[in-house]
Each structure stands twice: as structure tokens, then as C-alpha cells.
Amino acid sequence: MSSVLVVGYDPQAIPGVDGEALRAALDAELARFGEHGIDAAMVLIVFDESAESTLVASLTEQLWDVVVVGGGIRKTEPLLPLFEQVVNLIRRHAPQAAIAFNTSGGDSVEAAQRWL
């Protein structure tokens, strides 16, 4: 079975956003992986000192075939340093994994499938 790690920005850390509703949508997308026979996990990070250790723990938990980096990290200009950190940590701690990018929280499966 293929394995995918989805890296996203923790919706509880986004001001002015209904974090619970966004988390429910992310969980629904994660469930779609199972419908496609793909083993998937999600790690949600924030832009603080915990980001690196949280991500490294997930990256080294198992061998991932694909790591999908979410748009919440990529598309927000103030998070550019976090995006760079994420990409470099993936390269360092999961070098066997393809790196994919979704366009929204609702197409992570399709992003991963491009590399599976």
C-alpha cells in the first residue's frame, strides 16, 4: 500500500478562521485517501519553534512515498520561511519521498496520485 504524509498549517493557529470547520474538512480529505487504497497521515504545524521537531517526527515515523505540502503553508507570503523549512526538512528526512503540492485542502489525494 502506498503511503502519503500531508503537511498542513494548523487551522487553530489561523486568526479569523473557523478552525474546527477547517479541521473537519482536512479530516474528510484524509479519509478520502483510504477510499483510494492509500495509507495516509496528516501533520499540522505552526510557524514557531515546534514546527521542525513536529515535522521531523512525522517524516521519520515511516517511509513515505509522497509528502503533500498544503497551500496554507505555500500560498501565504509571510509563511515563506516556513515553506522553505518544510521543503528542506522533507529532502533531509524523507529523501525517498516525492514532494507534491495541492491547490486546496480538497485535492490532496489527486496531488499525491500524480506521484504514486
Side-chain angles (χ1 to χ4, degrees):
M1 181 178 283
S2 299
S3 61
V4 174
L5 177 65
V6 179
V7 181
Y9 200 75
D10 187 341
Q12 300 296 335
I14 304 171
V17 170
D18 183 349
E20 289 183 27
L22 185 51
R23 177 60 194 254
L26 294 173
D27 288 340
E29 180 66 4
L30 192 62
R32 278 192 344 115
F33 280 97
E35 296 168 10
H36 289 85
I38 301 169
D39 178 35
M42 180 172 46
V43 59
L44 299 174
I45 58 175
V46 295
F47 193 28
D48 67 13
E49 65 281 345
S50 70
E52 182 171 350
S53 61
T54 300
L55 182 55
V56 169
S58 292
L59 289 170
T60 58
E61 180 179 298
Q62 70 179 61
L63 289 178
W64 302 104
D65 295 310
V66 179
V67 177
V68 177
V69 181
I73 293 172
R74 287 188 341 278
K75 296 179 180 181
T76 307
E77 190 173 332
L79 295 181
L80 179 61
L82 178 63
F83 174 52
E84 292 174 338
Q85 181 182 25
V86 166
V87 170
N88 283 295
L89 288 171
I90 294 167
R91 287 182 49 235
R92 188 174 309 126
H93 296 283
Q96 76 291 339
I99 301 173
F101 304 106
N102 63 17
T103 61
S104 72
D107 68 353
S108 295
V109 171
E110 290 76 14
Q113 286 177 322
R114 289 193 296 267
W115 296 97
L116 292 174

